[in-house]
Amino acid sequence: SYVLTQPPSVSVAPGQTARLTCEGDTIERKSVHWCQQKPGQAPILVVYDDSGRPSGIPERFSGSNSGNTATLTISRVEAGDEADYYCQIWDNSVPSVVFGGGTKLTVL
Amino acid sequence: QVQLQESGPRLVKPSETLSLTCAVSGDSIDNGYYWGWIRQPPGKGLEWIGSLYHSRTTHSNPSLASRVTISADRSNRQLSLRLTSVTAADTAVYYCARGLTPIDYWGQGTLVTVSS
């Protein structure tokens, strides 16, 4: 089955740029989605189809996908961005939804 | 605006069946989206359980498929989950959700504990 690998944690200072990665075999061939989960809350979609941004999501959130790595980039990081971030794909071969293990973003 | 609300027993005994319902508002279960369930054990990551399309086509996580039934009541705009033969490993927050790729709306989730 398809595996998505995310670093367990990323730390960044306020105002800086956070880059959260999601690795998978030739992931560039898949549509990658990202959700944000704050403590005690349900996840919300922040990027879809590699780089799309749902209504209401700040332009500071962007995505890219190339080779074996998809990246969620958060510019001008704010304290309120502190959360767990999960990447997600649809694996046609099984078929199955696959989530990465999640990355905890800490704002220093 | 799409809203999803999970409900059901918060405590289930080992070997019994977990049953949850999701009330859908702001959309129709037959409008062309997948509707499904995701769970999250305490302190851990997200695990997809399964999804239903047009009340007929179902995809399920292979690791759970033998124990999972997902169904829909279109008239009442409700989605249901049944998970049989539960163990402590099934203790989790269970989320109802719309979409498959991507999953674009989530309910608030309900914690279900498996314990005697």
Side-chain angles (χ1 to χ4, degrees):
Chain A
S1 60
Y2 198 86
V3 176
L4 295 173
T5 301
Q6 299 183 249
S9 62
V10 168
S11 298
V12 64
Q16 300 302 303
T17 297
R19 294 179 178 84
L20 284 63
T21 59
C22 176
E23 296 185 349
D25 185 36
T26 56
I27 196 173
E28 66 179 356
R29 298 178 184 175
K30 301 190 181 295
S31 290
V32 179
H33 321 293
W34 294 85
C35 64
Q36 173 196 68
Q37 186 180 34
K38 296 182 179 180
Q41 297 184 20
I44 64 169
L45 183 68
V46 292
V47 166
Y48 66 93
D49 292 346
D50 298 338
S51 59
R53 196 170 46 249
S55 174
I57 300 301
E59 292 183 4
R60 301 184 298 105
F61 289 80
S62 61
S64 62
N65 188 6
S66 178
N68 294 320
T69 304
T71 304
L72 173 68
T73 301
I74 309 172
S75 304
R76 302 181 299 282
V77 167
E78 304 173 355
D81 298 331
E82 193 163 274
D84 293 325
Y85 291 84
Y86 295 90
C87 57
Q88 177 232 320
I89 59 104
W90 171 249
D91 181 4
N92 270 318
S93 67
V94 177
S96 176
V97 170
V98 180
F99 287 102
T103 295
K104 181 177 180 58
L105 175 66
T106 298
V107 181
L108 300 171
Chain B
Q1 182 180 358
V2 178
Q3 292 188 319
L4 307 168
Q5 181 64 59
E6 304 88 349
S7 62
R10 303 295 182 92
L11 181 64
V12 182
K13 290 182 167 56
S15 80
E16 295 190 345
T17 296
L18 180 159
S19 296
L20 294 175
T21 299
C22 172
V24 177
S25 60
D27 203 351
S28 168
I29 290 179
D30 277 339
N31 71 350
Y33 285 96
Y34 275 87
W35 301 84
W37 296 89
I38 296 104
R39 70 181 184 178
Q40 185 173 35
K44 296 188 178 181
L46 301 169
E47 180 181 33
W48 176 71
I49 299 171
S51 301
L52 180 68
Y53 181 76
H54 272 293
S55 304
R56 293 191 300 271
T57 302
T58 304
H59 295 301
S60 298
N61 187 323
S63 68
L64 298 170
S66 64
R67 298 194 291 131
V68 168
T69 302
I70 296 174
S71 60
D73 180 341
R74 286 174 286 175
S75 59
N76 290 321
R77 294 192 174 191
Q78 289 188 335
L79 187 71
S80 296
L81 169 70
R82 293 182 74 250
L83 181 67
T84 62
S85 304
V86 297
T87 69
D90 295 309
T91 294
V93 175
Y94 285 76
Y95 294 99
C96 172
R98 187 185 85 166
L100 192 70
T101 179
I103 297 168
D104 59 358
Y105 283 97
W106 299 68
Q108 282 305 300
T110 186
L111 174 63
V112 180
T113 302
V114 178
S115 174
S116 56

